[in-house]
Structure formats: structure tokens, C-alpha cells
Amino acid sequence: MNGITSILGIHYPIIQGGMGNISNAILTAAVSEAGGLGTIGAGTMTADEVEKIIIETKKLTEKPFSLNVALSVSPNPMAILKLAVKHRLAVVTLSAGNPAPFIGKLHDEGIVVITVVASVKQAEKAEKAGADILVAEGFEAAGINSALETTTLALIPQILNRVNIPLVAAGGIGDGKGLAAMLCLGASGVQMGTRFIATKEAPFHDSYKQKLLDANDHGTVIVGRSVGKIRRLLDTSYAHCLLQREAEGITPEVFADLTTEEIHKKGALEGKEDEGFMNGGQVSGLITDIPSVAELLDRMMEEARAALSAAGNKIG
Ligand SMILES: Cc1cc2nc3c(=O)[nH]c(=O)nc-3n(C[C@H](O)[C@H](O)[C@H](O)COP(=O)(O)O)c2cc1C
């Protein structure tokens, strides 16, 4: 047991980060059943759509799982959060916005609140607002990223110097050595997105998974810098089309129209590389297989134990 496993009622200190609109009940339940914390990503879905996924997930697992609400992305954060109360979920993860107005109400219902941050300032604010656990996400991560561009290795110790609640590291972690490294930095666990895409249970198109297997250490690109909406994507023809449009000059509104969730689904779920994008983190180059979620988590724990023991031997 450590800080987060006891608070969350899970076995392994590994969280599957919410993947708005595209991760589903099967992946969420598989992660929770395997001993980690699965997360439903509400993204831009309506409350009815999210409720169906919650009900389906509850049929597949009795273990705790989380509901991620990206506050500035969701069309109706309050309606989605009410579902967490209605269905007595154990955990809610708030990202992409100010969590302060919601934390007290969720605590009143006995719900544990995880807040995703990308800077020391955001971490201090979230702790002050009452968050139970922080996820600190570095610039290596897939998907929407902070314009501050601070990497995980630099971010985690700086936040830990300033807050007292448990911290989970996200961005760039894909194996047990990464987990061990983050524990050594003082994190209580890790959250992963990219690594979970390349698992048997993940509901993504085979060509998305294959792209991850094919990726090397520079297999991702950053789009959206010119409009202040940064995203890390796999290096595909659609990503290049976005970069080209930015080079020609593009408004934030047009960029938003080219990066909607409908377009995301075309890439991630339908595997149409020319018509939609695929989120991917820098850790993509480390991924060489497509295990089941349980195989992945068991292997990561074994690797982490071996890495921690080898590191101990190295220091004498
Ligand atoms: C396909 C995809 C969609 C994502 N959507 C969301 C989201 O809706 N909300 C959120 O807070 N994070 C989202 N993320 C970020 C993940 O939850 C996680 O923090 C991140 O992927 C960790 O970095 P990694 O990709 O290096 O593992 C997404 C990531 C991926 C890969």
C-alpha cells in the first residue's frame, strides 16, 4: 500500500488516464480488474452517452474506476459530474480547467477527487482547493498539452517540493522502469495513456496500434503552437496537414474545426490516417507489443521491482 493505492482502493499504483470520447467501458473495466485504476473519458460526450458507459463499466467490474471530466472541453461538466454521484462512483478526475468549484460538492458525496496539473502553480491551487491526489502531466504526453511545455522529469520534483498531497506522474511512462523512475522521484504512482492504446482490450483501430509499434523516438509531432492550443499527435499525414495549415496561417477557430472529436474518431477508431488524427506520446517509440491489460500491469510491476533493486545495487 502507498499513498494512492490506499486512497483509491486499488492494488497497483497505475492509472489509465481518461481518453475523451474514445476509450470505452471494456478498457476501463480491464484496467480496474487488473489492479490499476481505469478511467472513463467524458470528453465532449453528452450526459446520456456518458451514463451508458458508466452503466456498462459497472456491469464489467465491481472495482473502483474513475470518470474524467475535462472541464473546458465538456459541453456540460455539471451534468456529467452529477452522474458520478448518481452512480456512486468512487473517483472523479478533473482536468483542463479550474477544479475548485466542484471539489467540495464531490467530497460531500464521498468521492475522491484527482486533479490533473502541468505546473507548480496549478498544483498549489489544486491542493488548496482540496484535491485528494494530483496527476502531474509533462510535455511528453499524448493529446492536449500545457503551453508551458515542462517535461515530466523536471515537473515532478518541483511540484513535490511545494505540495503535500500524493502526486502521480504522467507523460512518457510506458514500462516498469518508467514506473520505478517516477517512484524514485517521489511520485506515488503513474498515469499512462499512450501505452494503454497498444493493449488487446483498447477499442482503437488496428492501424493506430500498428503506428505505435512502428513509431521511433521521434514518432510524434506538436501541432497547435501557432494558435496556443498544443497537442501531441502521432506523425501521420493528417498531422502534417495541420502543420501545413498552421504554416500558411490559421485562426484558432479553424484549428478547432480541424481537431474536433469527430475528426479524432476518424483517426483513432476508424484508422483513417488522412482524415483524422491519432494522439500519441513520446513514449510511443518504446512500445513493441500489444499485451492484454493484465499482462501489461503485471509485467510493469515485476520490471519496476527489478529496476528498483538494480538501482539500489548500483549505488552500493
Ligand atoms: C487518445 C488520448 C486521449 C486523451 N484524452 C484525454 C482527456 O480527455 N482528458 C484528459 O485529462 N487527458 C486525456 N489524455 C491524456 C491521458 O489521460 C494521459 O494523461 C496521458 O496520455 C499520459 O501521457 P502518455 O501519453 O505519455 O502516457 C488523452 C490521451 C490519449 C492518448
Side-chain angles (χ1 to χ4, degrees):
M1 284 286 197
N2 74 20
I4 66 158
T5 53
S6 54
I7 296 171
L8 297 170
I10 57 176
H11 199 54
Y12 294 156
I14 301 174
I15 299 174
Q16 169 246 320
M19 299 188 225
N21 296 64
I22 58 170
S23 58
N24 66 1
I26 293 172
L27 179 62
T28 303
V31 176
S32 290
E33 280 293 299
L37 184 77
T39 305
I40 295 170
T44 58
M45 284 188 280
T46 63
D48 284 350
E49 288 170 316
V50 175
E51 185 162 33
K52 275 190 198 126
I53 300 179
I54 293 174
I55 292 168
E56 209 184 324
T57 309
K58 289 200 111 178
K59 280 187 193 149
L60 296 172
T61 185
E62 291 183 356
K63 301 222 160 79
F65 60 88
S66 183
L67 171 64
N68 167 230
V69 184
L71 295 166
S72 59
V73 172
S74 172
N76 196 345
M78 201 39 122
I80 309 271
L81 289 172
K82 278 186 181 157
L83 294 174
V85 176
K86 179 177 169 190
H87 291 279
R88 310 197 65 75
L89 300 193
V91 191
V92 158
T93 304
L94 301 175
S95 59
N98 177 15
F102 307 99
I103 294 178
K105 292 185 185 96
L106 291 166
H107 279 170
D108 288 346
E109 303 293 337
I111 296 172
V112 172
V113 181
I114 302 177
T115 301
V116 183
V117 298
S119 71
V120 172
K121 195 172 164 189
Q122 284 175 353
E124 286 176 326
K125 275 188 169 175
E127 181 182 48
K128 208 167 157 208
D132 301 290
I133 294 171
L134 298 175
V135 168
E137 193 187 71
F139 192 53
E140 298 91 329
I144 296 174
N145 259 317
S146 163
L148 298 172
E149 303 195 6
T150 312
T151 57
T152 307
L153 189 67
L155 187 60
I156 299 304
Q158 293 186 61
I159 292 181
L160 281 167
N161 280 347
R162 301 292 285 271
V163 303
N164 293 307
I165 53 177
L167 182 68
V168 172
I173 298 128
D175 64 9
K177 289 180 193 159
L179 167 60
M182 293 304 125
L183 297 178
C184 286
L185 284 183
S188 298
V190 296
Q191 170 166 300
M192 306 187 298
T194 303
R195 177 64 262 206
F196 279 115
I197 296 166
T199 58
K200 290 202 172 88
E201 292 89 338
F204 305 100
H205 197 274
D206 282 349
S207 74
Y208 190 2
K209 298 183 184 185
Q210 188 58 45
K211 276 251 153 224
L212 288 175
L213 299 182
D214 295 342
N216 60 19
D217 56 337
H218 48 95
T220 69
V221 294
I222 292 293
V223 299
R225 270 203 184 102
S226 69
V227 293
K229 293 277 175 205
I230 294 187
R231 273 178 184 269
R232 188 177 292 283
L233 306 180
L234 288 183
D235 188 351
T236 62
S237 48
Y238 194 82
H240 279 272
C241 158
L242 288 172
L243 288 173
Q244 180 64 32
R245 293 291 300 270
E246 285 190 76
E248 289 161 11
I250 193 172
T251 63
E253 292 75 24
V254 173
F255 183 82
D257 286 345
L258 293 170
T259 51
T260 61
E261 276 308 316
E262 285 315 305
I263 292 174
H264 185 194
K265 281 190 214 163
K266 282 202 172 137
L269 301 183
E270 296 173 34
K272 293 181 178 156
E273 281 179 41
D274 297 332
E275 294 174 37
F277 60 91
M278 297 169 172
N279 288 325
Q282 285 186 322
V283 76
S284 302
L286 196 67
I287 297 173
T288 56
D289 64 355
I290 304 179
S292 70
V293 166
E295 282 162 356
L296 175 67
L297 296 199
D298 290 345
R299 182 170 78 194
M300 278 185 69
M301 292 304 292
E302 210 171 292
E303 280 170 358
R305 286 189 195 101
L308 289 169
S309 144
N313 290 339
K314 277 182 202 159
I315 207 157

